Amino acid sequence: MTIFVPEFGFSAGSETVVLKVTSGWADDGHEVVVAAPRHRLRRYRQRGLDSRVRTVELGWKQSGWQRWVGALTSRLPDGSRSRRLLINAALRLQVRREKATRVFVPWIVNQPVINFGLPTGVMVMDLAWRHYPKGWFGVSAQTLDLALERWLEGATVAFPVSESTAKEIEEAFPKVGAKLVTVPHGSEWRGAGKQVNGSPNLYFLTPAGMTPNKDHEGLLQSAVTLWRAGLNFKLVWTGAGTEMVVVEKKAETEGLQRLQCLYQTHHELVAGRLECLGFVSDQALDALYAGACRVILPSTYEGFGLPVLEAIERCARVICTDIPAFVEQVGRYQINDRVVLVSKNDQVALAAAMRSAIVDAPAGASFTDEADLRRRIEAWTWGDAAQRYLTVLDRCDAPPDRAAELPL
């Protein structure tokens, strides 16, 4: 099997999936081709994309007549029929050139549907836009719903990343239920890491980009309450957009503007206690996980929420909301002893959990039973997820309802 993986857009979660499952497919002896823009291919290489995975630039070749057609395509208006037809032609030609037999699309949010002419599986991370009436980054929920519905209808099989996401898709688009095969993200045991140069300060780590569902604002308000009560700790935020909270330049999104205002209002209290780092290297993030008092994830919605697992893989303890995707992971890996669940949007409960973590910090640091935790974390690995995708994609010539009958 030769699997073609085109990346039209991405998130931190979909990027991780591509890195992990393509390696698993290569282990199983399959050819894998990742197609993406040049800067994204560079990013994948920096993050350790398996050397056995071939990489090509997405779309028209950058030579000969195809280069000129590609230039014409880029000049056509977004959403125009001519542009869609040329993009579709480029990708059908590309999958033939790469001798692909299957297509796996990791990102379909607000993307025009492509008919690759091959059995195609699409991954669905979440339906976050349906939870925010004002839309998602300037695009209406109706527009995003329509784009997703078209992909679900056109794909051979759709892969929700959790049972909660699968349920949400079935409720929103009942006609595509037979195409759904849930494949949860996997885990990769890391063990207790070591801090770089140590840290004299107790801190909570939130590794989450600045999207509306992450509720950085509620977390900061909870922290302000505790700082006013005299507790001494830091918040450390990593991920896209977090660096904007503490700069003077006005942010473009309403949520970031509110955070900037909250930061300025309580500047004397917050300054020096809130570190907004933006993107950090994998090595730096490992060190932050290792030194954190708790990893804290106050999300109001997630399709999966990888940071919960990424924290537990490193023996960290977690405070997170009791949303369905998080609860599902806690149950799958039996990690209720490592995770404290609080109600979403409940800043009082969140502050109480943080206070308890500060009091219990020495006990948390003394955790040594890695063997038992590793056994639990390895109940469902990235290797298992990669094999599940392979099994389904291999059967994609069968009617969709046969794929949906595969056991979980």
Side-chain angles (χ1 to χ4, degrees), residues 4-29:
F4 185 76
V5 185
E7 185 184 79
F8 304 118
F10 68 95
S11 68
S14 66
E15 182 179 272
T16 298
V17 172
V18 171
L19 288 166
K20 301 299 183 183
V21 301
T22 55
S23 180
W25 295 339
D27 285 343
D28 211 46

Short mmCIF file of all heavy atoms in Angstrom, two decimals, residues 4-29:
data_model
loop_
_atom_site.label_atom_id
_atom_site.label_comp_id
_atom_site.label_asym_id
_atom_site.label_seq_id
_atom_site.Cartn_x
_atom_site.Cartn_y
_atom_site.Cartn_z
N PHE A 4 -0.87 8.33 0.49
CA PHE A 4 -0.61 9.74 0.18
C PHE A 4 -1.27 10.58 1.27
O PHE A 4 -2.47 10.45 1.54
CB PHE A 4 -1.19 10.07 -1.19
CG PHE A 4 -0.89 11.47 -1.67
CD1 PHE A 4 0.35 11.81 -2.17
CD2 PHE A 4 -1.89 12.44 -1.65
CE1 PHE A 4 0.61 13.09 -2.64
CE2 PHE A 4 -1.64 13.73 -2.12
CZ PHE A 4 -0.38 14.05 -2.61
N VAL A 5 -0.49 11.46 1.92
CA VAL A 5 -0.98 12.27 3.04
C VAL A 5 -0.85 13.75 2.67
O VAL A 5 0.21 14.36 2.87
CB VAL A 5 -0.19 11.97 4.33
CG1 VAL A 5 -0.78 12.73 5.52
CG2 VAL A 5 -0.17 10.47 4.62
N PRO A 6 -1.91 14.36 2.14
CA PRO A 6 -1.85 15.78 1.78
C PRO A 6 -2.25 16.65 2.96
O PRO A 6 -3.24 16.37 3.65
CB PRO A 6 -2.87 15.89 0.65
CG PRO A 6 -3.91 14.85 0.99
CD PRO A 6 -3.18 13.74 1.71
N GLU A 7 -1.50 17.70 3.21
CA GLU A 7 -1.81 18.61 4.32
C GLU A 7 -2.26 19.95 3.75
O GLU A 7 -1.47 20.72 3.24
CB GLU A 7 -0.60 18.80 5.22
CG GLU A 7 -0.94 19.64 6.45
CD GLU A 7 0.27 19.92 7.32
OE1 GLU A 7 1.06 20.82 6.97
OE2 GLU A 7 0.43 19.21 8.34
N PHE A 8 -3.57 20.23 3.86
CA PHE A 8 -4.13 21.50 3.39
C PHE A 8 -4.11 22.55 4.50
O PHE A 8 -4.13 23.75 4.24
CB PHE A 8 -5.57 21.30 2.92
CG PHE A 8 -5.71 20.24 1.87
CD1 PHE A 8 -6.47 19.11 2.10
CD2 PHE A 8 -5.06 20.37 0.65
CE1 PHE A 8 -6.60 18.13 1.12
CE2 PHE A 8 -5.19 19.40 -0.33
CZ PHE A 8 -5.97 18.28 -0.09
N GLY A 9 -4.14 22.11 5.72
CA GLY A 9 -4.09 22.98 6.89
C GLY A 9 -3.63 22.11 8.05
O GLY A 9 -3.44 20.90 7.89
N PHE A 10 -3.48 22.69 9.22
CA PHE A 10 -2.94 21.89 10.31
C PHE A 10 -3.26 22.51 11.65
O PHE A 10 -3.60 23.69 11.76
CB PHE A 10 -1.42 21.74 10.18
CG PHE A 10 -0.67 23.02 10.39
CD1 PHE A 10 -0.14 23.34 11.63
CD2 PHE A 10 -0.52 23.94 9.35
CE1 PHE A 10 0.53 24.54 11.83
CE2 PHE A 10 0.15 25.14 9.54
CZ PHE A 10 0.68 25.44 10.78
N SER A 11 -3.13 21.68 12.67
CA SER A 11 -3.11 22.12 14.06
C SER A 11 -1.98 21.36 14.73
O SER A 11 -1.39 20.46 14.13
CB SER A 11 -4.45 21.80 14.75
OG SER A 11 -4.59 20.39 14.88
N ALA A 12 -1.68 21.72 15.97
CA ALA A 12 -0.63 20.98 16.69
C ALA A 12 -1.00 19.51 16.79
O ALA A 12 -0.15 18.63 16.67
CB ALA A 12 -0.42 21.59 18.07
N GLY A 13 -2.29 19.24 16.99
CA GLY A 13 -2.74 17.86 17.12
C GLY A 13 -2.60 17.07 15.82
O GLY A 13 -2.11 15.94 15.81
N SER A 14 -3.03 17.67 14.71
CA SER A 14 -2.95 16.94 13.43
C SER A 14 -1.49 16.75 13.02
O SER A 14 -1.13 15.72 12.43
CB SER A 14 -3.73 17.68 12.34
OG SER A 14 -3.15 18.94 12.03
N GLU A 15 -0.65 17.70 13.35
CA GLU A 15 0.79 17.57 13.06
C GLU A 15 1.37 16.37 13.80
O GLU A 15 2.13 15.58 13.23
CB GLU A 15 1.50 18.85 13.46
CG GLU A 15 2.98 18.88 13.17
CD GLU A 15 3.61 20.20 13.59
OE1 GLU A 15 3.63 21.14 12.77
OE2 GLU A 15 4.07 20.30 14.75
N THR A 16 1.01 16.23 15.07
CA THR A 16 1.49 15.10 15.86
C THR A 16 1.00 13.78 15.28
O THR A 16 1.76 12.80 15.19
CB THR A 16 1.02 15.23 17.32
OG1 THR A 16 1.58 16.41 17.90
CG2 THR A 16 1.46 14.03 18.15
N VAL A 17 -0.26 13.73 14.86
CA VAL A 17 -0.80 12.51 14.26
C VAL A 17 0.01 12.11 13.03
O VAL A 17 0.39 10.94 12.87
CB VAL A 17 -2.28 12.69 13.89
CG1 VAL A 17 -2.78 11.48 13.10
CG2 VAL A 17 -3.13 12.86 15.14
N VAL A 18 0.29 13.06 12.15
CA VAL A 18 1.04 12.76 10.95
C VAL A 18 2.42 12.20 11.30
O VAL A 18 2.87 11.19 10.73
CB VAL A 18 1.18 14.01 10.05
CG1 VAL A 18 2.16 13.75 8.90
CG2 VAL A 18 -0.18 14.41 9.49
N LEU A 19 3.10 12.82 12.24
CA LEU A 19 4.42 12.35 12.64
C LEU A 19 4.38 10.92 13.17
O LEU A 19 5.24 10.09 12.83
CB LEU A 19 5.00 13.28 13.71
CG LEU A 19 5.47 14.66 13.25
CD1 LEU A 19 5.68 15.58 14.45
CD2 LEU A 19 6.75 14.55 12.44
N LYS A 20 3.39 10.63 14.00
CA LYS A 20 3.34 9.33 14.67
C LYS A 20 2.85 8.21 13.77
O LYS A 20 3.45 7.13 13.71
CB LYS A 20 2.46 9.42 15.92
CG LYS A 20 2.92 10.45 16.94
CD LYS A 20 4.30 10.14 17.47
CE LYS A 20 4.71 11.15 18.55
NZ LYS A 20 6.08 10.91 19.04
N VAL A 21 1.74 8.43 13.05
CA VAL A 21 1.16 7.32 12.31
C VAL A 21 1.96 7.00 11.04
O VAL A 21 2.04 5.84 10.63
CB VAL A 21 -0.32 7.55 11.98
CG1 VAL A 21 -1.13 7.74 13.25
CG2 VAL A 21 -0.53 8.69 11.01
N THR A 22 2.57 8.02 10.42
CA THR A 22 3.36 7.72 9.23
C THR A 22 4.56 6.84 9.58
O THR A 22 4.95 5.97 8.80
CB THR A 22 3.84 8.99 8.52
OG1 THR A 22 4.57 9.82 9.45
CG2 THR A 22 2.66 9.78 7.97
N SER A 23 5.13 7.05 10.75
CA SER A 23 6.23 6.20 11.19
C SER A 23 5.74 4.76 11.40
O SER A 23 6.42 3.80 11.02
CB SER A 23 6.82 6.74 12.49
OG SER A 23 7.89 5.93 12.95
N GLY A 24 4.56 4.63 11.98
CA GLY A 24 3.99 3.30 12.18
C GLY A 24 3.70 2.60 10.86
O GLY A 24 3.92 1.39 10.72
N TRP A 25 3.24 3.35 9.87
CA TRP A 25 2.98 2.76 8.56
C TRP A 25 4.28 2.31 7.90
O TRP A 25 4.33 1.26 7.26
CB TRP A 25 2.24 3.76 7.67
CG TRP A 25 0.87 4.11 8.17
CD1 TRP A 25 0.11 3.37 9.04
CD2 TRP A 25 0.11 5.27 7.85
NE1 TRP A 25 -1.08 4.01 9.28
CE2 TRP A 25 -1.12 5.17 8.56
CE3 TRP A 25 0.33 6.37 7.03
CZ2 TRP A 25 -2.11 6.15 8.47
CZ3 TRP A 25 -0.65 7.35 6.94
CH2 TRP A 25 -1.86 7.24 7.64
N ALA A 26 5.32 3.13 8.05
CA ALA A 26 6.61 2.74 7.49
C ALA A 26 7.14 1.48 8.18
O ALA A 26 7.71 0.61 7.53
CB ALA A 26 7.60 3.89 7.64
N ASP A 27 6.94 1.38 9.50
CA ASP A 27 7.35 0.18 10.23
C ASP A 27 6.69 -1.06 9.65
O ASP A 27 7.27 -2.15 9.66
CB ASP A 27 6.98 0.30 11.71
CG ASP A 27 7.89 1.24 12.47
OD1 ASP A 27 8.98 1.55 11.98
OD2 ASP A 27 7.49 1.68 13.58
N ASP A 28 5.46 -0.89 9.17
CA ASP A 28 4.70 -2.02 8.65
C ASP A 28 5.02 -2.31 7.18
O ASP A 28 4.38 -3.16 6.56
CB ASP A 28 3.20 -1.73 8.81
CG ASP A 28 2.39 -3.00 9.03
OD1 ASP A 28 2.81 -3.84 9.85
OD2 ASP A 28 1.35 -3.16 8.36
N GLY A 29 5.99 -1.57 6.63
CA GLY A 29 6.45 -1.85 5.28
C GLY A 29 5.72 -1.13 4.16
O GLY A 29 5.89 -1.46 2.99
#
